[in-house]
Amino acid sequence: MLQHRNLIVLACLAAFCCQPVQAQLTRDQVARSLQVGVRYLKTQQQDDGHWDNGGGQFPIGITSLAVMAMLNSQVPVTDIAVQKGLGYLRSIPPADWPRITGRSENYELSLMLMALAVADQDTDRNRIIRLASMIEKGQVDSGANVGGWSYLLGAGQGGAADESNSQYSVLALREAAHYGVPIKRETWVNARNYWQSKQSADGGWGYQGNGKSSGSMTVAGIASSVICETMLGDPDDNFNCCQEQEENQVIDRGIKWLSDNFEVGSNPGGGNYQLYYLYGLERAGRLSGRRFFGENNDWYRAGAEYLIKRQSGRGFWMGEAGIDKAPVLSTAFSLLFLSKGLSPVVVSKLKFGGGPGAEIPESLWNQHPRDVHHLMDFISTQDGWPKLLTWQVLELPKLTDQNALSVLVQSPILYLSSDRAPQLTPADIRRLRQYLDQGGTLLAAAGCQSADFDQGFRRIVKLLYPDEASLFKRLTVDHPVYRSEFLLSDEAHELWGIDFGCRTPIIYSPDDIGCLWDHWSQIDPPGRSPQNSLKIDQKMKLGTNIAAYVTGREPADKLESQERAGSDNPLEAIERGFLQIAKLRHEGGWDTAPMALRNLLKALNEQVGAVSMSKKNFVPSDQNIFNFPMLYIHGRQSFSFSEAEREQLRKYLNRDGVLFADACCGASQFDAAFRAEMGKLFPDQKLTRIPVEHELMQTPFDIQQVTRRLPSVNRPGQPLKTLTQKGEPVLYGIEIDGRLAVIYSQYDLSCALERQTSLICNGYSPEDALHIAMNIVIYSQQQSPSIR
């Protein structure tokens, strides 16, 4: 056993020195690309703060794009280059806008509005209002192009318009609306009608008036149509949640054209403007909630891999023709694709029913098409949340055992809703349980308060958790979901759930919350009653609370969430290892975080390749514990061992075994019980704080400074607020013969190892928890000789 321990330690150290090159796109690759691209942009900024195309043209538009590219690439608004760019935009008097922008007036002023809105500075409010007014007045109001925009923003101009200019006006007005500027309903109606009238017979869009369809104009048509539909909502104040809504044929036909003609290496049907097309592709995918265009075209992965391979050593991108040959412009387009496309997918809306290849009616799973989209828009405006949150449609019948987990974990919440009983296959149930075990949450709502859905979903709960189905109960006001963001009442908002492990992985609303999400709008439509506005607002807040409870307001970005799941192969089948860890059973919730140890062993296995993934659980009196160099124990409740169990555990620890323990979510009951048991095991010794200088804190990870979540759970009647604190890890130990035989964390490691970020969980961040746990295992195996 000692030889095996030395092998694992050496393997660990070698693994951290020499990381293998990964073939697939990774988050780190995207982060490096963004960093180098931003660095290039900064080198091209002029002394007065502006950027241009290299020939002095389009200074307002290109400066705006550069500023947006940096802000979306996580450069803070306080950064010197960002401030200089904003300063340049602010320095131009409105009277000079037409002179500087020339015939590109609509492009440049729309982009200026977008940049100022993204920067979100109070000093720019009047400028944003003025720009929005100019753009609204510049909408074509007569002739064949009503609802579109051209290069110039002459008030009420008739005549010319094109799809390229029109999409930038729609984008700008959307940003203005999110900023809080009222935009007339008529403006959105006319814009929607314009895009509908210009769609070509094949479903795509061309540059001007039903011409030859191209990728760049089709993504513009899809995104603009989605924006208009989202902004308009339903003007009828007496909305009927049970009414079947018509499918949007315009958007669906556009998506079909793009799916049939999908490319990333060129602008399909358009020749030039490839990077301009990719910039629009990101919007079309994100706003329409599509991860795929067609069967297997993952637009973000395909586009990101393409861009990263073609980024120059200096950090810029440059296309072959047209505007793509301007490196600052092309670099801004590329950075915007990479950064905005990476935005967190908070909710996946489940498309269910039928077998592989079967046609699934929209009315079955998508009764309220704008529900989740509106919820993401609402949450994005709340303080403390990322400003760019997104969603996607996930088709259950298309999943396989090989890809299911990596696809499902891309979002922390799966949303299931219908007015009929949901029919899920045994494979669906199995894959959903894997997703829930990985820390995911299933949110369900009964469309039209459907009794069929209610009964069907309760059957699904029993299939997902057969041993805990009786625990599916109505949540009471003391549950953190009712105060995770807003202070809400359990009487006004009926929710059901099942507690499993550290959290509530299933949340169910018998009310049709999606209907009210669907009818939300940035600005209430004319005639909406205060009562209905209040109802909608309350359900938007409930949706926000659910998202806050699940994510802790820290949703992972698109690639990070997939990397958390890793392989979809059943890990229990991996038996290559030397190191084995067993879990101790007790009556205080011995399996509260069932995936914690598995995820720790998986991480060690990926780095070392010398770890057994077999599940072994024993009571302390079992003689088999002597076959394992380390025992792991956690829980949330009080517990105690019998005298016989204490005696055997004492022998195990005196024979060079190691006990690794943590209190799930920092539970005080478990903490008190564990300390009491250690006092009975070793009356002459106490759990002692392990100093930060100890070698355990340094190899292979430096964990001398870590992040811990500090939930405010003692504020009755107040919404939950959390703080994070940077400092030394708080670990305790008992030494036997100069080695740490017991290593204990009174703050949570287990739930964090399951990648849970509950607002009420007092413990370390997932990344730091993993590093702490890996250090503990590797240190223990290095220090302890074999068990005899």
Side-chain angles (χ1 to χ4, degrees):
M1 187 72 74
L2 176 60
Q3 179 184 13
H4 290 165
R5 285 193 173 90
N6 289 338
L7 283 172
I8 190 173
V9 171
L10 291 173
C12 282
L13 296 176
F16 285 105
C17 293
C18 307
Q19 294 290 334
V21 177
Q22 299 193 29
Q24 289 189 330
L25 178 71
T26 68
R27 185 171 180 266
D28 285 344
Q29 287 175 315
V30 174
R32 285 194 297 270
S33 181
L34 291 171
Q35 183 181 36
V36 176
V38 166
R39 188 184 306 146
Y40 169 78
L41 283 185
K42 289 184 176 182
T43 67
Q44 301 303 301
Q45 190 173 29
Q46 303 301 308
D47 292 340
D48 65 354
H50 89 271
W51 286 266
D52 56 45
N53 69 342
Q57 295 177 303
F58 317 120
I60 291 179
I62 295 179
T63 298
S64 300
L65 280 166
V67 167
M68 284 193 290
M70 290 194 291
L71 289 173
N72 280 285
S73 300
Q74 303 304 309
V75 178
V77 73
T78 55
D79 181 86
I80 293 175
V82 173
Q83 282 298 309
K84 285 179 64 179
L86 291 171
Y88 171 79
L89 297 177
R90 293 166 181 152
S91 71
I92 305 170
D96 287 347
W97 289 345
R99 177 180 61 82
I100 294 177
T101 56
R103 284 195 54 79
S104 61
E105 182 180 33
N106 183 32
Y107 280 119
E108 297 206 74
L109 296 187
S110 292
L111 285 165
M112 181 196 283
L113 190 161
M114 293 161 65
L116 296 176
V118 171
D120 196 17
Q121 305 287 285
D122 290 338
T123 55
D124 296 320
R125 182 166 185 81
N126 289 336
R127 190 175 283 103
I128 291 173
I129 292 172
R130 182 165 186 163
L131 287 165
S133 176
M134 286 182 64
I135 293 168
E136 271 203 282
K137 290 177 180 177
Q139 189 178 35
V140 175
D141 62 2
S142 63
N145 294 310
V146 170
W149 282 266
S150 186
Y151 286 90
L152 301 178
L153 291 172
Q157 65 170 327
D162 64 77
E163 279 81 308
S164 183
N165 273 289
S166 295
Q167 77 158 325
Y168 277 90
S169 297
V170 168
L171 291 170
L173 293 179
R174 177 181 184 269
E175 292 295 338
H178 280 269
Y179 187 82
V181 178
I183 305 299
K184 296 185 184 75
R185 183 175 182 82
E186 182 184 7
T187 301
W188 296 119
V189 169
N190 289 337
R192 179 192 61 187
N193 294 342
Y194 170 82
W195 285 100
Q196 181 174 345
S197 70
K198 300 304 178 184
Q199 190 170 32
S200 299
D202 61 6
W205 279 269
Y207 171 66
Q208 202 168 42
N210 314 109
K212 178 186 176 184
S213 297
S214 68
S216 55
M217 290 299 94
T218 298
V219 295
I222 294 169
S224 298
S225 297
V226 170
I227 290 170
C228 292
E229 289 294 330
T230 303
M231 288 296 172
L232 282 168
D234 191 340
D236 184 3
D237 193 47
N238 298 313
F239 42 80
N240 182 357
C241 291
C242 300
Q243 182 178 348
E244 185 173 320
Q245 297 193 30
E246 294 183 6
E247 299 178 28
N248 190 309
Q249 297 292 334
V250 172
I251 296 172
D252 290 344
R253 291 177 62 221
I255 289 172
K256 185 179 186 309
W257 187 95
L258 186 58
S259 299
D260 292 342
N261 296 275
F262 183 83
E263 295 279 351
V264 293
S266 65
N267 176 15
N272 300 331
Y273 306 104
Q274 180 215 359
L275 298 177
Y276 171 70
Y277 153 67
L278 287 181
Y279 171 46
L281 176 64
E282 177 274 324
R283 287 193 297 280
R286 177 169 52 84
L287 294 177
S288 68
R290 295 312 195 270
R291 180 185 172 193
F292 297 98
F293 286 113
E295 288 296 318
N296 298 303
N297 298 319
D298 185 328
W299 61 264
Y300 182 73
R301 280 188 171 272
E305 287 172 353
Y306 176 88
L307 288 172
I308 289 172
K309 287 178 183 177
R310 284 155 182 80
Q311 188 175 21
S312 76
R314 290 177 56 198
F316 65 83
W317 285 267
M318 187 166 67
E320 298 179 357
I323 60 172
D324 285 355
K325 293 194 72 173
V328 170
L329 184 60
S330 292
T331 300
F333 284 154
S334 300
L335 291 176
L336 285 165
F337 176 94
L338 290 172
S339 59
K340 297 180 78 172
L342 196 61
S343 57
V345 179
V346 178
V347 179
S348 284
K349 192 171 184 176
L350 292 180
K351 183 175 181 178
F352 62 91
E359 189 67 29
I360 301 174
E362 190 92 357
S363 59
L364 175 64
W365 63 276
N366 200 26
Q367 190 177 13
H368 309 301
R370 299 178 295 262
D371 48 8
V372 178
H373 189 157
H374 282 173
L375 180 63
M376 293 302 98
D377 283 351
F378 180 85
I379 296 176
S380 295
T381 65
Q382 305 304 311
D383 292 338
W385 286 88
K387 295 302 180 186
L388 198 62
L389 299 173
T390 190
W391 64 288
Q392 66 184 20
V393 173
L394 195 157
E395 299 188 45
L396 281 180
K398 290 187 177 180
L399 297 181
T400 67
D401 285 341
Q402 287 69 42
N403 70 10
L405 191 56
S406 62
V407 172
L408 290 168
V409 299
Q410 201 175 83
S411 57
I413 300 173
L414 301 181
Y415 180 58
L416 178 70
S417 183
S418 180
D419 61 354
R420 282 159 272 182
Q423 301 297 321
L424 302 184
T425 67
D428 292 334
I429 296 295
R430 184 178 67 253
R431 293 160 186 164
L432 286 176
R433 178 58 192 263
Q434 287 179 325
Y435 164 79
L436 296 174
D437 286 345
Q438 277 288 337
T441 298
L442 178 61
L443 170 63
C448 192
Q449 283 69 244
S450 165
D452 288 342
F453 182 91
D454 184 87
Q455 294 170 9
F457 185 71
R458 291 175 186 273
R459 286 194 294 270
I460 287 171
V461 172
K462 291 180 181 179
L463 293 171
L464 287 169
Y465 290 103
D467 297 330
E468 293 83 16
S470 62
L471 302 178
F472 186 59
K473 297 179 180 179
R474 183 168 178 174
L475 304 181
T476 55
V477 72
D478 58 342
H479 193 283
V481 75
Y482 286 111
R483 53 194 182 100
S484 55
E485 181 87 17
F486 301 99
L487 190 61
L488 300 175
S489 163
D490 61 335
E491 294 182 2
H493 306 282
E494 181 180 351
L495 293 176
W496 287 64
I498 187 166
D499 289 336
F500 186 78
C502 309
R503 64 199 180 93
T504 305
I506 294 179
I507 298 175
Y508 167 57
S509 169
D511 295 327
D512 192 351
I513 53 178
C515 172
L516 297 181
W517 294 349
D518 190 84
H519 286 85
W520 174 83
S521 58
Q522 292 281 351
I523 304 295
D524 279 346
R528 176 160 289 173
S529 68
Q531 293 86 348
N532 278 342
S533 292
L534 180 61
K535 287 179 184 178
I536 293 170
D537 181 68
Q538 285 292 300
K539 294 307 180 187
M540 299 305 290
K541 288 178 177 177
L542 178 63
T544 304
N545 273 28
I546 293 169
Y549 169 73
V550 172
T551 68
R553 304 186 193 92
E554 298 172 359
D557 65 45
K558 188 175 291 184
L559 293 179
E560 182 184 4
S561 59
Q562 285 183 288
E563 289 170 5
R564 287 177 177 181
S567 170
D568 289 288
N569 295 325
L571 294 172
E572 286 72 15
I574 300 175
E575 284 291 347
R576 333 176 245 175
F578 304 122
L579 173 64
Q580 296 187 71
I581 301 175
K583 187 184 290 188
L584 281 186
R585 297 171 62 179
H586 59 87
E587 73 271 21
W590 69 273
D591 205 25
T592 294
M595 304 302 294
L597 180 57
R598 172 191 180 275
N599 289 344
L600 170 59
L601 294 175
K602 173 188 165 188
L604 287 165
N605 206 27
E606 289 173 349
Q607 296 290 348
V608 179
V611 180
S612 170
M613 300 303 300
S614 295
K615 294 179 178 179
K616 303 295 181 182
N617 310 309
F618 303 108
V619 294
S621 57
D622 195 313
Q623 287 290 328
N624 282 305
I625 67 173
F626 291 94
N627 296 322
F628 295 83
M630 176 175 277
L631 301 177
Y632 174 61
I633 182 172
H634 72 243
R636 293 189 70 167
Q637 308 301 324
S638 182
F639 70 97
S640 62
F641 295 135
S642 67
E643 191 52 49
E645 288 174 327
R646 293 188 194 106
E647 179 61 28
Q648 179 141 292
L649 194 54
R650 189 181 298 112
K651 288 180 182 179
Y652 170 84
L653 295 173
N654 282 318
R655 294 184 184 181
D656 302 324
V658 178
L659 179 62
F660 169 25
D662 80 292
C664 292
C665 286
S668 58
Q669 299 97 322
F670 181 90
D671 179 66
F674 184 80
R675 291 178 185 276
E677 285 300 324
M678 293 304 101
K680 293 174 182 178
L681 275 176
F682 301 104
D684 299 330
Q685 294 177 270
K686 289 185 177 181
L687 281 167
T688 305
R689 176 84 178 264
I690 302 173
V692 73
E693 299 83 12
H694 195 281
E695 60 182 301
L696 181 153
M697 306 287 189
Q698 302 174 46
T699 303
F701 297 100
D702 183 351
I703 58 170
Q704 296 178 82
Q705 290 289 307
V706 292
T707 299
R708 184 163 65 89
R709 182 185 293 277
L710 306 171
S712 299
V713 295
N714 297 317
R715 300 175 62 198
Q718 295 293 320
L720 289 174
K721 300 295 180 183
T722 60
L723 299 173
T724 56
Q725 174 180 288
K726 198 81 172 175
E728 300 174 3
V730 181
L731 300 175
Y732 293 88
I734 293 176
E735 283 194 352
I736 299 176
D737 297 330
R739 68 181 180 85
L740 286 170
V742 177
I743 303 173
Y744 170 59
S745 172
Q746 73 181 63
Y747 300 119
D748 177 78
L749 297 173
S750 301
C751 294
L753 287 170
E754 288 192 335
R755 286 289 179 179
Q756 299 175 32
T757 52
S758 171
L759 290 168
I760 61 168
C761 208
N762 193 348
Y764 299 100
S765 69
E767 182 179 10
D768 284 336
L770 180 61
H771 291 171
I772 291 169
M774 291 179 76
N775 274 26
I776 289 171
V777 173
I778 292 171
Y779 163 80
S780 300
Q781 302 314 299
Q782 187 178 25
Q783 294 299 312
S784 299
S786 60
I787 298 174
R788 298 174 181 81

